[in-house]
Amino acid sequence: MTEQKQTFADQKRKTVETAEFTEDGRYKRKVRSFVLRTGRLSEYQRNMMNENWSEYGLEHQAEFFDFEKIYGNSNPVVLEIGFGMGKSLVEMAEQNPDKNYLGIEVHTPGVGACLAYALEKNIKNLRVICHDATEILRDCIADESLGGLQLFFPDPWHKAKHHKRRIVQPHFVETVAKKLTVGGFIHFATDWENYAEHMLEVLQSVQRAVGIHNISKTNDYIPRPDFRPLTKFEARGNKLGHGVWDLYFIKD
C-alpha cells in the first residue's frame, strides 16, 4: 500500500482527546490523546468526513456555540452523546424537523457513516462533533441552552472495578441539568440491567438538587418510546434476549 497524505479524517482518528476522571466521576483537567485502534475507517467514510465537515462538523472551541447562527433558527437543540454509526440520530433529525440535533462521537468510522446517511436523507438540522463530550459540555455549551440530552446504549463497563469509568455519574448529570432549558429532557437507554439500576440511582440521587423529575409512573423506567428509533445495539440485545431500560427525566 502506498503511503498517503494524512487527511483531516485521519488526523481526527489519531488524536481524539478524551477526559480523565477522579474516582467519584469528577472531571480532571489532565487530558490525554490516544490512538483509536478499533473499527476500520473506510475510504468512503474518510471521504464523507473530508468533503462534508464544513457543512456538518463543529470543532471544540473556547467559547459557547451560537446555535441560532449554526442552525439558522431558534429551534430546540437536542444533544446526543455517543451516536455510534449515527443511523438513529439521523432518523430522529428527519422525523423532527422542528428540532436541531447535535451529535458527539469520538470514533471516526461512526462519524463518517453518520455524515453519509445524513447526506442520503438530505438532513439539514444536524451537526456532529468528533471530540470528548465532557470538554464540549464544559467549554462549548452554555447553561440553559439545550432542549434535551440523549445517551443511548453507552459502554456499560460491566466489571465492578470499572464502574467509575461509566459516563453516568452524579457530576455528569449535574452538568447536563445546568445546560438544559426548563422543560428540557434527559433520556438514557441501556440493555444492561445493572447499568440501568446505576443510572436510576444516580439520577435519583441528584434530582432534587438539580431540579429534574422522573416521568415514569412507577418512578423508575418508562416503556420503550416510539420516538426512539431502534438502534443496532438494541436489535442485537433483543436477539440475545436482553431487556432494554429507558429513563426519562424532565427539568422543572
Side-chain angles (χ1 to χ4, degrees), residues 13-250:
R13 183 170 172 77
K14 280 193 169 185
T15 57
V16 176
E17 291 180 326
T18 188
E20 294 184 354
F21 301 86
T22 59
E23 289 193 4
D24 65 351
R26 291 187 174 275
Y27 175 77
K28 292 170 68 174
R29 282 198 171 274
K30 181 180 178 183
V31 175
R32 63 184 175 87
S33 292
F34 64 99
V35 177
L36 291 169
R37 295 185 175 88
T38 58
R40 177 178 175 271
L41 179 65
S42 71
E43 190 66 25
Y44 181 65
Q45 293 163 347
R46 179 183 288 107
N47 290 340
M48 287 297 99
M49 287 189 68
N50 290 334
E51 295 170 9
N52 300 288
W53 195 256
S54 61
E55 179 179 356
Y56 285 102
L58 296 179
E59 296 289 348
H60 173 267
Q61 59 186 44
E63 59 184 346
F64 297 138
F65 291 136
D66 183 340
F67 288 134
E68 190 164 343
K69 181 178 180 181
I70 289 169
Y71 293 98
N73 59 59
S74 57
N75 292 340
V77 177
V78 176
L79 172 64
E80 179 167 336
I81 295 176
F83 57 74
M85 301 304 280
K87 187 173 186 293
S88 65
L89 177 60
V90 170
E91 289 175 356
M92 292 190 82
E94 181 182 34
Q95 294 165 10
N96 299 280
D98 59 334
K99 296 178 181 176
N100 297 317
Y101 287 83
L102 177 61
I104 300 177
E105 177 58 63
V106 296
H107 292 89
T108 50
V111 175
C114 181
L115 294 183
Y117 196 42
L119 283 167
E120 178 186 329
K121 294 288 188 178
N122 194 30
I123 301 300
K124 302 299 183 184
N125 58 331
L126 171 66
R127 299 293 183 274
V128 298
I129 299 172
C130 190
H131 196 87
D132 171 62
T134 304
E135 289 199 335
I136 296 297
L137 283 169
R138 183 194 67 191
D139 299 335
C140 308
I141 308 291
D143 290 353
E144 301 181 356
S145 67
L146 294 178
L149 181 284
Q150 301 176 169
L151 181 68
F152 300 151
F153 306 96
D155 192 327
W157 293 105
H158 56 276
K159 292 183 179 180
K161 66 180 181 180
H162 293 154
H163 284 184
K164 65 183 179 181
R165 300 184 185 182
R166 291 173 168 175
I167 189 172
V168 178
Q169 305 289 350
H171 185 64
F172 172 74
V173 175
E174 290 166 0
T175 299
V176 168
K178 290 179 182 178
K179 306 301 178 180
L180 295 177
T181 59
V182 173
F185 67 84
I186 295 175
H187 185 184
F188 296 156
T190 180
D191 58 352
W192 286 82
E193 186 173 13
N194 175 266
Y195 200 6
E197 293 169 348
H198 170 84
M199 288 174 167
L200 179 59
E201 181 181 343
V202 168
L203 287 162
Q204 290 176 334
S205 72
V206 300
Q207 65 178 23
R208 289 187 179 179
V210 303
I212 58 176
H213 69 273
N214 194 348
I215 70 166
S216 167
K217 294 180 180 178
T218 52
N219 203 35
D220 47 21
Y221 312 105
I222 62 171
R224 183 187 181 281
D226 293 336
F227 57 79
R228 180 173 64 75
L230 187 71
T231 70
K232 72 169 188 176
F233 296 102
E234 186 171 0
R236 180 196 64 188
N238 289 340
K239 290 181 180 179
L240 296 173
H242 293 175
V244 174
W245 292 265
D246 281 80
L247 299 104
Y248 201 96
F249 281 64
I250 299 289

